[in-house]
Amino acid sequence: MVLARYVVPALVGGLLWAVPLRAQDTTGTITGEVTDVGTQQGLAGVIIRVVGTPFGTQSRTNGGFTLTVPAGVRRLRVTRIGYTPLEQEVTVAAGSVTPVNLALSPQAAILEPVVVTGYGSQRREAITGSVATVDPATADVGVMTNVNGMLQGRVAGVNITTNNGEPGSGVQIRIRGATSINASNEPLYVIDGVPIANVESEAAGFGIGGSPPLPRSPLNLLNPSDIGSITILKDASATAIYGSRGANGVILIETKKGAAGGASMTYDTYVATASPARSLDVLSGDEYRQFVQGQVALYNTDSTKGLNPTYLAALGSANTDWANAVNRSAVTHNHNLAFTGGSDITRYRASLNFMNDQ
């Protein structure tokens, strides 16, 4: 009885003393910012993980982050595409906030080429068909009125013929030659996953007091500065996923997308002038007059021609180079304004383009 009298209070006291210990917080919070070591600007979309645990988070638009982890010495691993991975030890006290600042150094990253097909994206090595890509950065040079000009002479097996010299005019595209006599031989355009028929953007017809309009390319609606990538599928295995519409080849066009980060504005402009590099070598007024006089003299010596002509009286004294008179130096103005920005959830890109090509 004496033993029980002392043991019971001791057990009760031990339980009451253990309850506050269990109630104490065993986790802590890590808060801080991830910045670029050179610019000291916050980096968005950085992955922060605790090595050996399932805890992790992602930095916000301004580079800040908050992470709750068990107390103790923890090793943080910070990764982002284009930057060298970083590991840093942090001592986290229970029930407290531990500040930490992380600076990442830029690093060039080699990414595997990706081809966008009708059913998704694949690595270029996995594509067995004939696929050609065009880099818009190198193709968008000079006066470029539409996307068709970016393909001219840059892809093997793709023949582009311009119907006329008018800016924005329609073109004839043949991928590995013509495949049909009666049906259409035009390829299929797929712009951001949406198939676009290669038909004239303006219907032909006779207007009152004028001639019918010239055919326009459907790609005139796209600004060449907005093109992110161009992929040409040339053989049957690559175009089979599009059915009969892809029998003549498929041209995949992806436009530029917005990127997470602060809002930015880009303005690009150029002014160009064009003139004929060579002109026709025509006769001058005196040379032409001398030629006609010689022909009239020969005519007069032939008695079978009848009456003498009166061509000499109509020659006049003008000296006009009509081949040079119908040409001029054409000036082209191009202005492109783009706005990009967004967050990890929503991204946007809007652009305005104005071109005046004489």
Side-chain angles (χ1 to χ4, degrees):
M1 295 297 294
V2 177
L3 180 61
R5 183 182 302 170
Y6 291 102
V7 171
V8 173
L11 293 176
V12 173
L15 293 174
L16 295 177
W17 182 65
V19 170
L21 292 179
R22 294 179 180 178
Q24 290 181 358
D25 194 359
T26 59
T27 62
T29 302
I30 302 176
T31 182
E33 182 181 7
V34 184
T35 59
D36 186 291
V37 69
T39 63
Q40 302 299 319
Q41 298 294 324
L43 297 176
V46 180
I47 305 299
I48 304 102
R49 294 188 180 278
V50 180
V51 179
T53 68
F55 299 97
T57 186
Q58 187 173 353
S59 64
R60 298 183 292 272
T61 304
N62 59 354
F65 69 94
T66 302
L67 181 62
T68 302
V69 298
V73 179
R74 303 298 175 187
R75 177 175 289 274
L76 298 181
R77 179 173 176 81
V78 186
T79 57
R80 188 179 190 272
I81 295 177
Y83 288 86
T84 304
L86 174 67
E87 290 191 4
Q88 181 173 330
E89 287 189 352
V90 179
T91 302
V92 181
S96 63
V97 178
T98 303
V100 59
N101 292 324
L102 306 170
L104 297 182
S105 301
Q107 180 187 38
I110 301 176
L111 302 179
E112 295 183 351
V114 175
V115 176
V116 179
T117 60
Y119 46 81
S121 300
Q122 295 187 11
R123 291 184 299 107
R124 186 175 181 84
E125 292 80 2
I127 299 294
T128 59
S130 179
V131 178
T133 58
V134 177
D135 184 11
T138 58
D140 188 14
V141 294
V143 179
M144 201 64 61
T145 57
N146 55 41
V147 183
N148 290 323
M150 302 173 67
L151 304 176
Q152 185 78 39
R154 297 185 180 274
V155 182
V158 178
N159 184 26
I160 298 179
T161 304
T162 305
N163 295 335
N164 56 76
E166 185 183 25
S169 62
V171 298
Q172 184 184 74
I173 299 180
R174 296 293 180 265
I175 298 179
R176 289 187 171 179
T179 59
S180 176
I181 298 177
N182 297 325
S184 174
N185 290 293
E186 297 294 336
L188 174 66
Y189 289 107
V190 180
I191 303 175
D192 290 335
V194 180
I196 303 296
N198 187 14
V199 296
E200 301 174 6
S201 58
E202 294 184 11
F206 290 94
I208 299 177
S211 60
L214 296 174
R216 300 296 198 277
S217 171
L219 297 185
N220 284 341
L221 301 177
L222 289 178
N223 179 11
S225 300
D226 290 340
I227 304 302
S229 65
I230 302 177
T231 305
I232 297 93
L233 309 181
K234 296 188 285 187
D235 64 354
S237 62
T239 62
I241 53 179
Y242 296 97
S244 60
R245 296 180 300 175
N248 301 316
V250 181
I251 299 178
L252 304 175
I253 300 175
E254 290 289 326
T255 59
K256 295 179 180 178
K257 307 295 189 299
S264 62
M265 180 183 68
T266 304
Y267 175 69
D268 180 26
T269 183
Y270 67 81
V271 178
T273 180
S275 59
R278 299 178 60 184
S279 59
L280 296 176
D281 186 14
V282 297
L283 298 177
S284 64
D286 295 336
E287 292 172 340
Y288 179 71
R289 188 178 298 103
Q290 182 180 0
F291 168 77
V292 174
Q293 289 174 347
Q295 295 300 312
V296 170
L298 292 176
Y299 186 92
N300 291 334
T301 59
D302 189 353
S303 59
T304 62
K305 298 299 182 180
L307 299 177
N308 292 337
T310 58
Y311 297 149
L312 296 177
L315 287 178
S317 60
N319 187 23
T320 303
D321 186 353
W322 293 107
N324 188 36
V326 297
N327 294 316
R328 66 174 178 177
S329 296
V331 179
T332 301
H333 294 267
N334 184 79
H335 305 274
N336 187 71
L337 182 63
F339 303 90
T340 59
S343 61
D344 299 334
I345 301 176
T346 304
R347 303 177 184 180
Y348 66 88
R349 186 179 192 277
S351 66
L352 300 173
N353 175 259
F354 171 79
M355 170 177 278
N356 182 19
D357 188 5
Q358 297 179 356

